[in-house]
Amino acid sequence: MTDTAPGSTPVDAYALQSNLPTSPEALIARLKELGIESHTIDHAPVFTVEESRGLRGKLPGGHVKNLFLKNRKDEMWLVTVEESKRVDLKALGELLTGATGGAAKLSFGSADRLMQHLGVIPGAVTPFAVINDKARAVAMVLDQDLLRHDVVHAHPLVNFKATALAPQDLVRFLEAERHPPRFIAVPVSPASQ
């Protein structure tokens, strides 16, 4: 499938994700190795939360969005939150760094940095990507509200599939990949409260 935004060149999402460090099949095999039950479905490639809402139909449970963030010291975080939350990046930066002002300022990591550390492309960011962070350079952060769901859905390293599993099993996976998550109440923008 080719996707074209106004004023941009066509992008073949399947080709972009054909040679990743870890395939979705290898990820699913790792989940099975850990005794984690999951269910994966195929869908058209999606790059935004809005696109994914339109394709998923009535999949029950929590749906996530993922923020790959860094600060000026090049510390990096992968923050997984419920898809509907409008995250207050300033407050999140203060919470994650313990600093205020410019020292707490977060920005989104570049596509090159994302591929280098997590082995995925923009639009396919997922907590499962820590499987590629062997250096443990990226700290994992989970929105504590995700734990209230019976099941959560995330991309299995590509943006044309969705994998469902219990939140506790996601935590087990993260711990097995040596990325124990930090659970926080993710601060939301005042306008969205």
Side-chain angles (χ1 to χ4, degrees):
M1 174 176 187
T2 303
D3 189 22
T4 308
S8 68
T9 56
V11 174
D12 183 338
Y14 298 107
L16 277 175
Q17 299 171 90
S18 63
N19 195 22
L20 298 173
T22 304
S23 70
E25 296 77 21
L27 170 67
I28 301 306
R30 175 67 172 140
L31 293 174
K32 285 181 183 172
E33 176 185 306
L34 294 169
I36 294 174
E37 289 186 36
S38 67
H39 177 73
T40 300
I41 62 164
D42 295 330
H43 56 72
V46 294
F47 290 89
T48 66
V49 168
E50 290 74 27
E51 289 175 342
S52 68
R53 281 185 186 137
L55 289 175
R56 74 165 161 255
K58 302 257 184 217
L59 293 176
H63 296 270
V64 301
K65 69 178 171 185
N66 300 277
L67 310 174
F68 177 56
L69 303 168
K70 67 179 244 4
N71 66 6
R72 291 180 182 170
K73 295 180 182 179
D74 282 338
E75 295 170 311
M76 295 175 285
W77 295 268
L78 176 55
V79 181
T80 300
V81 304
E82 287 191 297
E83 71 176 1
S84 61
K85 287 197 174 180
R86 293 182 50 106
V87 178
D88 182 337
L89 286 180
K90 181 179 180 209
L92 179 61
E94 291 173 357
L95 184 62
L96 294 178
T97 65
T100 57
K105 185 174 181 181
L106 299 177
S107 61
F108 289 95
S110 68
D112 289 341
R113 180 182 292 261
L114 178 62
M115 182 56 74
Q116 176 187 353
H117 293 284
L118 295 176
V120 294
I121 67 166
V125 184
T126 173
F128 294 126
V130 300
I131 197 169
N132 295 315
D133 183 25
K134 303 303 184 196
R136 295 191 314 255
V138 180
M140 186 69 221
V141 178
L142 280 181
D143 178 4
Q144 65 189 24
D145 288 342
L146 291 172
L147 298 176
R148 68 181 170 87
H149 295 286
D150 292 332
V151 66
V152 292
H153 303 266
H155 290 307
L157 307 174
V158 293
N159 68 353
F160 49 86
K161 294 178 181 284
T163 296
L165 74 167
Q168 303 87 322
D169 287 336
L170 175 59
V171 173
R172 280 184 44 219
F173 167 79
L174 296 170
E175 290 171 346
E177 292 300 322
R178 302 186 314 164
H179 284 77
R182 177 178 171 187
F183 295 97
I184 64 170
V186 173
V188 295
S189 298
S192 65
Q193 293 178 335

